[in-house]
């Protein structure tokens, strides 16, 4: 029967140390998460491990890293309340299942390239909330022991700092006011997505957006209030994107988003939610409510164009949106 290797404590510590050392040297957050799933398979003896993270809408769990069998097959998104992963996400608790056939939480997926009979899963915590799930599975029943659950919890703890680091990957330095990245970070961030997805069928999107009446806000209320409006708007954007998406301030009230792995079908609804979020009444100063709107241009990578081309296309679409009026989106 397959199971976790019987590593002596020094060997186990060495494996974990190697993981921590490796993840500090990897440039991209997705590669670091991949190292976590690889180590999970190796240490726990399962045949498939994955990290699923909440998408920007907070409605689905998307596969962000996978190792072991079935990685050549596509991975379908899971509703946040579906399956074992959804249960772990909602309850913030780990699970160990000896036989998934006897567990009503388990939802079988067709065509995934591997079978599951037993599994363990742990929540990934960041910023005081569960943002994803680390799991490992085996095609045999009753493979994992209680000690394996503890080890998976340690591996999950190794993954959490990577989620925070991924937010900052390729985006230093930061804009002091909004804490968004600076304009210099945009092209390197786009190029990292092109390099990552070049050999796959997956796509990513770039969104350029601007606050519609920001100059009027400066004139009417002064720079201090206008700066607070920028901060509120930036916070609302961050609340809608994932930790590993790029977010940069490229002008006084202009920004660019690099939406990692999101094609047009996901990027456009996300940008609609950002537009609606910014339009909600805001209180930049206590007792002083005001409204602000934003216009957006959204371009999805076609698999061929360069970083400069897709950024230029997004900015061109933003120009069209602003010519059409306020609170517009062009894609």
């Amino acid at each position: 029967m397959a199971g976790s290797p019987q590593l002596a404590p020094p060997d186990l510590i060495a494996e974990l140390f190697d993981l921590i050392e490796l993840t500090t040297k990897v440039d991209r957050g997705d590669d670091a998460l991949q190292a976590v799933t690889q180590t999970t398979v190796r240490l726990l003896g399962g045949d498939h491990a994955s990290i699923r993270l909440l998408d920007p809408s907070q409605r689905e769990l998307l596969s962000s890293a996978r190792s072991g069998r079935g990685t050549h097959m596509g991975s379908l998104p899971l509703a946040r309340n579906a399956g074992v992963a959804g249960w772990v996400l909602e309850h913030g608790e780990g699970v160990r299942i000896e036989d998934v056939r006897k567990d009503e939480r388990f939802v079988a997926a067709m065509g995934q390239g591997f079978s599951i009979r037993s599994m363990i899963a742990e929540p990934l915590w960041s910023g005081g909330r569960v943002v994803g799930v680390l799991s490992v599975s085996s095609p045999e029943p009753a493979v994992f022991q209680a000690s394996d659950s503890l080890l998976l919890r340690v591996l999950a703890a190794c993954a959490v700092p990577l989620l925070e680091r991924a937010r900052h990957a390729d985006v230093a330095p930061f804009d002091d006011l909004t804490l968004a990245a600076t304009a210099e970070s945009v092209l390197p961030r786009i190029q990292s997505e092109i390099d990552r997805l070049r050999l796959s069928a997956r796509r990513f999107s770039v969104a350029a957006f601007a606050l519609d009446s920001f100059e009027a806000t400066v004139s009417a209320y002064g720079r201090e209030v206008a700066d607070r409006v920028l901060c509120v708007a930036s916070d609302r954007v961050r609340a809608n994107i994932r930790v590993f998406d790029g977010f940069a301030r490229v002008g006084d009230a202009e920004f660019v988003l690099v939406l990692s792995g999101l094609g047009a079908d996901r990027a456009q609804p996300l940008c609609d939610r950002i537009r609606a979020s910014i339009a909600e009444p805001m209180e930049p100063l206590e007792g002083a409510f005001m409204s602000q709107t934003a216009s957006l241009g959204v371009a999805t990578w076609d698999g061929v164009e360069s970083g400069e081309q897709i950024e230029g296309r997004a900015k061109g679409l933003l120009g069209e949106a602003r010519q059409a009026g306020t609170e517009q989106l062009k894609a």
Side-chain angles (χ1 to χ4, degrees), residues 12-95:
L12 180 58
I13 293 173
E15 284 272 7
L16 293 173
F17 180 80
D18 288 345
L19 172 63
I20 294 171
E21 186 176 38
L22 175 64
T23 55
T24 61
K25 295 178 179 178
V26 173
D27 292 332
R28 297 205 305 258
D30 53 346
D31 289 339
L33 293 177
Q34 186 75 30
V36 173
T37 57
Q38 289 172 347
T39 303
T40 299
V41 169
R42 187 165 59 251
L43 291 185
L44 291 172
D47 74 341
H48 182 88
S50 70
I51 289 176
R52 284 184 174 271
L53 301 176
L54 276 172
D55 78 333
S57 72
Q58 307 292 297
R59 291 195 293 264
E60 292 183 327
L61 281 164
L62 304 180
S63 179
S64 298
R66 299 192 297 161
S67 297
R69 290 183 179 274
T71 54
H72 64 289
M73 304 291 287
S75 177
L76 296 175
L78 291 176
R80 65 170 296 150
N81 60 349
V84 174
W87 188 94
V88 171
L89 180 78
E90 291 297 317
H91 291 81
E93 301 176 11
V95 296

Side-chain angles (χ1 to χ4, degrees), residues 110-319:
M110 300 297 293
Q112 62 185 5
F114 63 99
S115 59
I116 301 175
R117 190 70 185 276
S118 59
M119 66 182 296
I120 47 178
E122 285 290 331
L124 299 174
W125 290 85
S126 180
R129 65 189 181 96
V130 181
V131 297
V133 177
L134 170 63
S135 64
V136 60
S137 63
S138 170
E140 302 178 28
V143 165
F144 303 109
Q145 309 303 314
S147 59
D148 295 323
S149 294
L150 292 175
L151 179 53
L152 189 67
R153 193 172 304 168
V154 173
L155 290 164
C158 290
V160 169
L162 302 177
L163 302 179
E164 292 301 319
R165 198 184 84 192
R167 181 187 302 175
H168 307 297
D170 299 324
V171 296
F174 292 94
D175 173 57
D176 290 336
L177 178 66
T178 63
L179 300 182
T182 57
E184 292 77 13
S185 73
V186 174
L187 280 177
R189 184 67 181 84
I190 292 175
Q191 189 60 50
S192 72
E193 280 295 294
I194 292 175
D195 293 342
R196 185 172 71 91
L197 301 177
R198 190 184 303 276
L199 299 179
S200 75
R202 297 182 63 193
R203 295 292 181 257
F204 71 96
S205 297
V206 175
F209 74 93
L211 302 185
D212 290 320
S213 55
F214 188 72
E215 291 182 2
T217 301
V218 174
S219 298
Y221 300 99
R223 188 71 215 193
E224 180 181 357
V225 171
D227 283 348
R228 289 177 180 267
V229 168
L230 283 174
C231 292
V232 172
S234 297
D235 286 344
R236 292 181 178 181
V237 172
R238 273 188 288 270
N240 281 280
I241 63 176
R242 301 162 296 179
V243 295
F244 45 81
D245 289 322
F247 175 37
R249 184 184 181 192
V250 298
D252 196 17
E254 293 81 37
F255 299 84
V256 168
L257 291 168
V258 182
L259 303 173
S260 179
L262 293 189
D265 59 331
R266 295 183 182 277
Q268 292 178 27
L270 166 63
C271 289
D272 268 327
R273 288 192 294 271
I274 289 174
R275 180 176 57 169
S277 176
I278 291 175
E280 293 178 1
M282 59 178 66
E283 188 180 10
L285 292 175
E286 185 175 359
F289 288 88
M290 61 184 301
S291 60
Q292 180 63 252
T293 60
S295 293
L296 300 93
V298 187
T300 298
W301 185 53
D302 63 5
V304 177
E305 60 193 337
S306 67
E308 291 88 349
Q309 288 172 326
I310 186 172
E311 182 186 13
R313 194 153 59 87
K315 290 181 176 180
L317 289 166
L318 171 60

